[in-house]
Amino acid sequence: MAATELRGVVGPGPAMGAAPGGGGSGPAAAGGGGGRGDSGPGPGIAPGPAAAASGGGPGPGPGPAATAGGGSAAGPAPAPPTGGSGGGAGGSGSGSGSAREGWLFKWTNYIKGYQRRWFVLSNGLLSYYRSKAEMRHTCRGTINLATANITVEDSCNFIISNGGAQTYHLKASSEVERQRWVTALELAKAKAVKMLAESDESGDEESVSQTDKTELQNTLRTLSSKVEDLSTCNDLIAKHGTALQRSLSELESLRLPAESNEKIKQVNERATLFRITSNAMINACRDFLMLAQTHSKKWQKSLQYERDQRIRLEETLEQLAKQHNHLERAFRGATVLPASAPGSAGSVKDQICSGKGDMSDEDDDNEFFDAPEIITTPESLGHKRTGSNISGASSDISLDEQYKHQLEETKKEKRTRIPYKPNYSLNLWSIMKNCIGKELSKIPMPVNFNEPLSMLQRLTEDLEYHELLDRAAKCESSLEQLCYVAAFTVSSYSTTVFRTSKPFNPLLGETFELDRLEENGYRSLCEQVSHHPPAAAHHAESKNGWTLRQEIKITSKFRGKYLSIMPLGSIHCIFHATGHHYTWKKVTTTVHNIIVGKLWIDQSGEIDIVNHKTGDKCNLKFVPYSYFSRDVARKVTGEVTDPSGKVHFALLGTWDEKMDYFKVLPSNGDNGGDGRQRSHELEESRVMLWKRNPLPKNAENMYYFSELALTLNAWESGTAPTDSRLRPDQRLMENGRWDEANAEKQRLEEKQRLSRKKREAEAVKATEDGTPYDPYKALWFERKKDPVTKELTHIYRGGYWESKEKQDWSSCPDIF
């Protein structure tokens, strides 16, 4: 008897003797299930129109069954009839019922495109969630159909908009499914308009989101049902507790040993305490429910207030960024001139000397879009950059002319220009606000943030001032040689001063060669040897007596106000004649003013360059920029010491302009400090190690590329099929076809993901079968322990230039 009654609460069967399917509450039972669906009447307490929210009326086929039917939180009831929800027209619903719900594809943003979302149409409101389970706690958005326009685009696509504030671009799985949704939406809209006209209620409730109110009411109903369940359990406990006490009292009346009577009395007392405790628990639950009902409106208002505050904060932040840019422009007195106007080309030097360059002014018409329109074509030809770090000028060189120009180039005549940067606008903050604290190499970005070079080509740019190593190879003094190596280290940062766009992340197995053996005496090869974490290996050798090699892993973190880029790995430089082997690491690069103001780049940290043969060292300090410092911006200082720690040379300069060294002369002072300072103040002891080359004409329209950077992506015959020059998305972007470049970039990334999953599946299968499995290995580099630093690194194994001579690329993977 007791087991049967208790099973009515927690097990199969109707709860508390209710009729099958009765007593439905909560989202899962919304709408009852009464009325007539496709398969007949569903079980419910009150059949008829009042409960027909999810039945809807006859329709062509079954829809999602999750919204129909009875069932109680107190115990499962018989399943609702198939097609009871959303079939056919799927009525607009009544009470708390859902007229229709199911999966649709929604356009989310420019990066991710269409994403699958769970949509619920109820009470004249269309809400969506990332999943069905999310309905219980988080609504991602709601649109009121009473003021909405519903437009059909094509067989599967349709748009819902309420006049500009909200726009949903939706896609159904089929034309039939789209028609079901559109019909249900139109019916729901008609009913919502009618209810809006009839309603004369006003006051506090109007300021509360209708969706939040519906969710809260559903939650309260669920809580009420749970309290009823607890109350039923309490009644059963009280009933059986009373029977137990009665039985114990009967036992006491029997003639039993004294010890047994004592035990019976203890059990009786415990049963009484248990009944009192259960009553207290039920009372506490009832008090909680009453409190929740009492304060529901207050909580709704607080939640809505916080949401409104968040929206206002985002709008204020965006407006602040625009005002900041207007103030900067007014302060500089800048005017936008056409690129072809007289004197405009000569402004490059002025921009360079201004400190930060004109790299990151926000476009005046930047807006946040939930469903952005397709980016328009570039503006008129020859238009100068408008100030945004992702906008510039369109090219006056067509694609056919560009390729013709490239093919006509001889090996010695390198190109001196590329197509101008198109005037595409894209809000930086709209993308970056979702990336705070994350590793950016794992976040897909549109090409609008890129420059048309890969990270392998950026690594190769370290060789822009290779002549410093040529001069170092001729030095007889190891200490003087170290000065030139230090200058070479600093010079690699000079190209970054205005380059706020990010390079393309190379695909696994991607390579880049630069053969300058005839012109400059060196040739270079890079290969992407790891994808996560991203790592690239680089090997360059010169017939002038030096070899440079490195493996760099790039890690980056977005901190809200700034972006930190931390290169990991050692750089090696070996001079053949003397055997001097130098190593050093790179400093941290920081991109400032991500949210407000102009983007600008700074380098900070220390570099220790060590000669592992002689023990000589050079310590370079990159001084971080400070608004409050009177010191020169981008300052670099350094000292060259012998193994005993004695300073022989002092270095001074900036990482974007030039580096000098001063020979430290012996002094008569006790500690030599004052004498050393006086000695390298003497102008005659100053020797200029390095000075930055001027930027090409109209560099501001060509991503601020240097002369070397302009040549890196120029087409060359005979390169490996994995070479960065052949990467299609990068080539399309360089030629101004950014929409196609974005589509191609997504295709390449998806292809790379499928390759990785295939390798992982092969590894799992090999593990299960107990067979050996070879993990991915780089083609031209071999991972081994470095004999000097004892680090595991990728070192060039040879064979690339021989394969190029034979044009044998059979071992290269198909990555493009």
Side-chain angles (χ1 to χ4, degrees):
M1 170 89 180
T4 304
E5 293 178 359
L6 188 59
R7 190 161 50 247
V9 177
V10 297
M16 297 176 286
S25 65
R36 184 173 296 276
D38 293 335
S39 303
I45 294 177
S54 64
T67 56
S72 168
T82 303
S85 159
S92 61
S94 62
S96 61
S98 297
R100 185 172 182 82
E101 62 182 31
W103 292 106
L104 287 173
F105 290 90
K106 176 183 178 293
W107 178 269
T108 55
N109 55 48
Y110 188 76
I111 297 177
K112 296 182 179 179
Y114 283 97
Q115 295 291 312
R116 196 165 177 250
R117 297 289 184 259
W118 181 260
F119 278 79
V120 176
L121 174 60
S122 175
N123 297 316
L125 300 171
L126 181 66
S127 306
Y128 73 94
Y129 311 80
R130 285 186 179 172
S131 64
K132 187 176 179 181
E134 207 179 45
M135 289 174 61
R136 299 180 180 178
H137 51 82
T138 305
C139 176
R140 298 289 171 176
T142 301
I143 193 167
N144 191 339
L145 296 178
T147 58
N149 294 320
I150 303 168
T151 308
V152 176
E153 278 194 309
D154 52 35
S155 59
C156 296
N157 291 47
F158 58 102
I159 301 173
I160 304 173
S161 174
N162 63 356
Q166 289 173 292
T167 303
Y168 292 174
H169 292 248
L170 305 177
K171 182 194 292 185
S173 58
S174 65
E175 186 173 358
V176 174
E177 185 68 9
R178 186 220 67 195
Q179 188 57 45
R180 289 176 180 170
W181 272 102
V182 171
T183 305
L185 288 166
E186 291 289 357
L187 289 172
K189 177 183 177 181
K191 186 168 183 178
V193 171
K194 183 180 178 181
M195 291 176 63
L196 187 65
E198 294 174 352
S199 176
D200 57 352
E201 295 181 0
S202 61
D204 294 339
E205 293 185 0
E206 292 181 356
S207 65
V208 180
S209 168
Q210 184 67 30
T211 306
D212 294 338
K213 184 192 296 183
T214 302
E215 288 185 355
L216 191 60
Q217 289 172 350
N218 290 338
T219 303
L220 291 173
R221 274 196 298 272
T222 304
L223 287 173
S224 179
S225 175
K226 296 297 182 184
V227 171
E228 290 177 4
D229 295 346
L230 290 171
S231 181
T232 303
C233 293
N234 181 65
D235 293 342
L236 291 172
I237 291 170
K239 177 180 178 182
H240 298 306
T242 303
L244 178 60
Q245 285 180 318
R246 187 166 55 249
S247 299
L248 290 171
S249 299
E250 291 174 356
L251 284 174
E252 286 180 349
S253 64
L254 297 177
R255 293 181 179 180
L256 295 174
E259 184 178 349
S260 299
N261 288 332
E262 188 67 25
K263 290 290 183 183
I264 291 171
K265 186 180 294 184
Q266 291 178 2
V267 173
N268 199 359
E269 291 174 354
R270 290 176 182 176
T272 303
L273 288 173
F274 180 74
R275 184 176 61 181
I276 294 171
T277 304
S278 63
N279 286 332
M281 180 185 68
I282 296 300
N283 291 333
C285 292
R286 186 171 287 111
D287 291 342
F288 169 76
L289 179 61
M290 293 178 63
L291 186 64
Q293 291 173 333
T294 303
H295 293 278
S296 62
K297 289 184 180 180
K298 178 182 176 182
W299 294 339
Q300 283 177 317
K301 290 178 183 178
S302 298
L303 178 62
Q304 187 63 33
Y305 175 78
E306 292 299 330
R307 288 179 174 173
D308 293 342
Q309 284 289 91
R310 185 193 65 188
I311 293 172
R312 281 195 292 269
L313 181 60
E314 287 187 357
E315 292 173 350
T316 303
L317 191 61
E318 184 183 10
Q319 189 63 30
L320 178 62
K322 292 178 180 179
Q323 292 175 357
H324 189 278
N325 289 321
H326 287 310
L327 289 173
E328 284 185 340
R329 290 178 180 178
F331 177 75
R332 293 194 306 266
T335 56
V336 179
L337 298 174
S340 58
S344 62
S347 64
V348 177
K349 186 174 181 180
D350 295 337
Q351 292 177 1
I352 295 171
C353 298
S354 67
K356 300 177 185 176
D358 187 17
M359 287 294 294
S360 62
D361 292 347
E362 295 281 298
D363 293 331
D364 293 341
D365 56 351
N366 280 345
E367 294 180 10
F368 297 99
F369 292 98
D370 183 58
E373 301 297 329
I374 297 174
I375 293 179
T376 57
T377 56
E379 299 292 337
S380 59
L381 300 180
H383 190 278
K384 189 179 177 182
R385 301 175 75 253
T386 56
S388 173
N389 65 305
I390 49 173
S391 64
S394 62
S395 172
D396 54 355
I397 304 175
S398 68
L399 180 62
D400 295 336
E401 291 174 347
Q402 175 66 21
Y403 274 107
K404 183 179 178 181
H405 178 63
Q406 292 171 353
L407 293 173
E408 288 175 350
E409 288 178 345
T410 64
K411 189 168 186 179
K412 293 185 179 180
E413 293 177 353
K414 303 303 177 184
R415 69 178 183 179
T416 58
R417 64 181 303 182
I418 60 173
Y420 284 177
K421 190 176 184 181
N423 188 22
Y424 287 147
S425 63
L426 183 68
N427 190 284
L428 179 63
W429 174 242
S430 65
I431 303 295
M432 299 299 289
K433 67 179 181 179
N434 298 319
C435 306
I436 295 177
K438 297 181 180 178
E439 168 60 57
L440 291 188
S441 63
K442 299 181 181 180
I443 299 172
M445 292 281 188
V447 300
N448 305 56
F449 294 111
N450 287 24
E451 60 182 20
L453 290 178
S454 75
M455 190 63 205
L456 302 181
Q457 292 164 315
R458 284 292 289 267
L459 272 182
T460 307
E461 281 192 71
D462 286 356
L463 298 173
E464 171 121 8
Y465 299 95
H466 61 89
E467 63 272 8
L468 290 171
L469 296 182
D470 295 342
R471 287 152 63 186
K474 299 176 182 178
C475 290
E476 297 180 359
S477 166
S478 63
L479 293 168
E480 187 178 0
Q481 185 181 71
L482 185 50
C483 291
Y484 283 100
V485 174
F488 173 79
T489 302
V490 175
S491 70
S492 64
Y493 296 99
S494 64
T495 61
T496 66
V497 63
F498 302 121
R499 302 268 290 277
T500 54
S501 299
K502 67 182 287 290
F504 279 80
N505 290 331
L507 303 173
L508 186 62
E510 186 175 333
T511 60
F512 179 73
E513 66 156 81
L514 186 67
D515 189 352
R516 295 287 188 268
L517 204 59
E518 292 184 10
E519 302 96 318
N520 306 119
Y522 72 88
R523 58 186 181 183
S524 162
L525 175 67
C526 290
E527 180 181 2
Q528 187 77 357
V529 296
S530 174
H531 184 56
H532 282 310
H538 179 208
H539 179 90
E541 54 187 352
S542 171
K543 62 184 181 182
N544 294 324
W546 54 265
T547 296
L548 184 78
R549 61 179 173 87
Q550 59 182 319
E551 179 183 349
I552 298 296
K553 299 179 181 68
I554 299 294
T555 61
S556 56
K557 290 288 185 181
F558 177 50
R559 304 297 185 184
K561 292 182 180 180
Y562 61 90
L563 169 67
S564 295
I565 302 168
M566 294 81 70
L568 307 176
S570 298
I571 305 171
H572 299 252
C573 184
I574 304 101
F575 292 96
H576 306 160
T578 60
H580 292 163
H581 189 141
Y582 298 91
T583 63
W584 66 91
K585 297 179 184 290
K586 289 181 175 286
V587 295
T588 298
T589 300
T590 306
V591 184
H592 293 272
N593 288 353
I594 295 294
I595 302 176
V596 177
K598 295 189 305 179
L599 291 181
W600 59 280
I601 288 180
D602 197 18
Q603 315 287 348
S604 60
E606 294 190 17
I607 295 178
D608 287 319
I609 307 173
V610 180
N611 185 336
H612 291 273
K613 181 178 181 180
T614 64
D616 300 334
K617 292 183 181 180
C618 175
N619 175 258
L620 292 173
K621 294 181 180 179
F622 287 69
V623 181
Y625 177 77
S626 173
Y627 288 105
F628 306 104
S629 174
R630 294 185 179 180
D631 215 340
V632 62
R634 308 182 185 96
K635 183 179 179 180
V636 180
T637 62
E639 290 184 340
V640 175
T641 60
D642 61 21
S644 66
K646 182 181 178 182
V647 178
H648 291 264
F649 294 96
L651 305 176
L652 182 63
T654 59
W655 53 263
D656 66 323
E657 283 293 337
K658 67 174 185 174
M659 285 295 294
D660 298 333
Y661 80 81
F662 305 86
K663 191 168 184 179
V664 178
L665 303 175
S667 63
N668 297 324
D670 295 334
N671 55 18
D674 295 337
R676 185 170 64 204
Q677 182 66 26
R678 287 194 298 271
S679 67
H680 56 73
E681 284 178 350
L682 298 176
E683 191 61 33
E684 59 268 20
S685 67
R686 177 190 292 264
V687 176
M688 187 172 69
L689 291 167
W690 158 77
K691 185 177 181 180
R692 180 183 56 82
N693 296 328
L695 288 174
K697 183 180 179 181
N698 294 326
E700 71 274 17
N701 297 326
M702 299 183 292
Y703 308 90
Y704 284 92
F705 280 179
S706 63
E707 289 183 358
L708 175 63
L710 287 173
T711 68
L712 292 181
N713 208 43
W715 183 86
E716 291 185 12
S717 61
T719 60
T722 54
D723 196 272
S724 297
R725 298 176 180 88
L726 304 177
R727 182 165 173 166
D729 54 347
Q730 188 172 302
R731 179 66 62 188
L732 287 166
M733 184 205 171
E734 181 182 272
N735 288 286
R737 296 158 61 176
W738 284 15
D739 290 336
E740 297 172 65
N742 274 313
E744 191 64 23
K745 184 172 182 286
Q746 291 184 4
R747 182 189 71 81
L748 291 175
E749 290 171 349
E750 182 61 27
K751 183 176 182 179
Q752 182 170 240
R753 280 191 288 269
L754 293 175
S755 298
R756 187 188 73 244
K757 290 179 180 178
K758 183 180 178 181
R759 288 194 301 270
E760 292 172 351
E762 291 174 353
V764 171
K765 188 176 185 300
T767 303
E768 293 175 350
D769 298 343
T771 56
Y773 173 76
D774 292 331
Y776 177 84
K777 293 181 180 178
L779 185 58
W780 308 111
F781 289 80
E782 181 180 5
R783 193 165 189 258
K784 60 172 74 172
K785 182 180 286 188
D786 187 271
V788 175
T789 62
K790 308 303 180 184
E791 299 174 345
L792 279 176
T793 186
H794 283 83
I795 299 177
Y796 179 58
R797 70 172 79 204
Y800 179 86
W801 303 108
E802 292 78 7
S803 295
K804 181 180 180 182
E805 186 176 352
K806 299 175 185 177
Q807 283 299 293
D808 178 14
W809 304 116
S810 56
S811 58
C812 292
D814 176 20
I815 60 174
F816 299 143

